[in-house]
Amino acid sequence: MPERKPKQEPRRNLQQEKTMELTEIVNRAKEQLTALHPLSVSGVIGAAKREDGWHVTVELIERKGIPDAQDLLGMYEAVLDGGGDMLSYHRKMVRRRSDTMEEAES
């Protein structure tokens, strides 16, 4: 009896394999930022896909305050590729939780 060769699956486009959903990208950004800085996540400010990758802005609690309104929050922007690997990040600003942020006009 002739030996049967395993059926080969069609090759997938590498770009398709590396595409992640927005929620996965946001979770990866939070995981990687907190691995670099052992700080708690306060919230996600925004996420957008651009030509150079996913830009995710996350607020991390840099110092707990009493009351909570006195917490110092650092706003970090991380750039991730389509597979969820962080390419770069930087701290954009620091603010007290009680300070209001005004959105810049575009």
Side-chain angles (χ1 to χ4, degrees):
M1 203 171 196
E3 194 174 310
R4 296 183 92 184
K5 293 183 179 177
K7 189 175 183 179
Q8 290 186 348
E9 292 186 30
R11 288 190 174 192
R12 293 181 187 162
N13 181 340
L14 185 59
Q15 187 64 27
Q16 289 174 334
E17 287 182 12
K18 293 195 80 171
T19 301
M20 298 181 81
E21 297 294 322
L22 178 60
T23 54
E24 295 171 307
I25 290 291
V26 168
N27 287 333
R28 293 275 298 166
K30 292 190 306 188
E31 289 168 6
Q32 292 177 66
L33 281 171
T34 56
L36 292 169
H37 300 284
L39 304 170
S40 299
V41 174
S42 174
V44 175
I45 304 301
K49 188 171 187 174
R50 299 189 186 139
E51 285 185 21
D52 61 339
W54 286 95
H55 289 244
V56 182
T57 305
V58 178
E59 278 190 327
L60 301 177
I61 302 172
E62 295 199 358
R63 190 188 70 182
K64 289 290 290 172
I66 299 175
D68 288 347
Q70 294 301 311
D71 289 351
L72 283 183
L73 305 177
M75 186 184 302
Y76 291 80
E77 182 175 71
V79 179
L80 287 75
D81 65 16
D85 295 322
M86 188 179 299
L87 302 173
S88 67
Y89 79 96
H90 70 276
R91 183 170 70 178
K92 295 175 72 170
M93 66 178 284
V94 178
R95 70 177 184 92
R96 289 196 192 282
R97 187 183 298 274
S98 60
D99 295 344
T100 58
M101 288 189 339
E102 294 189 27
E103 194 168 319
E105 291 183 29
S106 315

